[in-house]
Amino acid sequence: MAKNVSQSPLEKNSLSSIDQKLAMAKRCSHEGVVAGAKAAVVATIATAIPTLASARMLPWAKANLNHTAQALIISTVAGAAYFIVADKTVLATARRNSFNKNSNTEA
């Protein structure tokens, strides 16, 4: 049984507020993904060069680090960099947006 009742101004404001919050959350998470991906690329390059070089030059690394171990070292650092930077970016963006919202409501 559907009611044909128009929405009150408070309900309209809350719906637009929810839409704004969802849009902001999507933007925050997208910024986190982009920043995390950039950090993962940089970490991969920064880790791959010394890992591969040491596996070819150092006798201990040559004997103990096979290709799987090298890939595991590099991918672990890349994954950690991605999640750390993405998390920090999302939190910083959310904090910045919450401060902006508070300053807009006070004015």
Side-chain angles (χ1 to χ4, degrees):
M1 192 173 190
K3 294 182 180 179
N4 292 331
V5 178
S6 64
Q7 293 179 340
S8 71
L10 292 176
E11 290 175 352
K12 287 181 183 177
N13 287 342
S14 66
L15 289 177
S16 66
S17 175
I18 290 172
D19 289 340
Q20 287 175 344
K21 288 179 182 178
L22 282 173
M24 193 165 302
K26 285 181 182 180
R27 189 172 55 85
C28 289
S29 63
H30 180 70
E31 287 180 22
V33 168
V34 170
K38 288 179 182 178
V41 168
V42 170
T44 299
I45 293 168
T47 307
I49 294 169
T51 301
L52 296 174
S54 65
R56 306 275 179 294
M57 290 187 242
L58 299 174
W60 179 89
K62 196 175 208 177
N64 293 312
L65 295 179
N66 60 12
H67 296 292
T68 305
Q70 294 169 32
L72 184 63
I73 292 168
I74 295 166
S75 63
T76 301
V77 171
Y82 173 83
F83 285 112
I84 290 169
V85 171
D87 183 48
K88 285 182 175 273
T89 303
V90 168
L91 290 174
T93 307
R95 187 177 305 115
R96 186 174 60 238
N97 289 334
S98 70
F99 288 148
N100 287 343
K101 182 179 178 185
N102 287 340
S103 64
N104 290 341
T105 57
E106 290 173 2

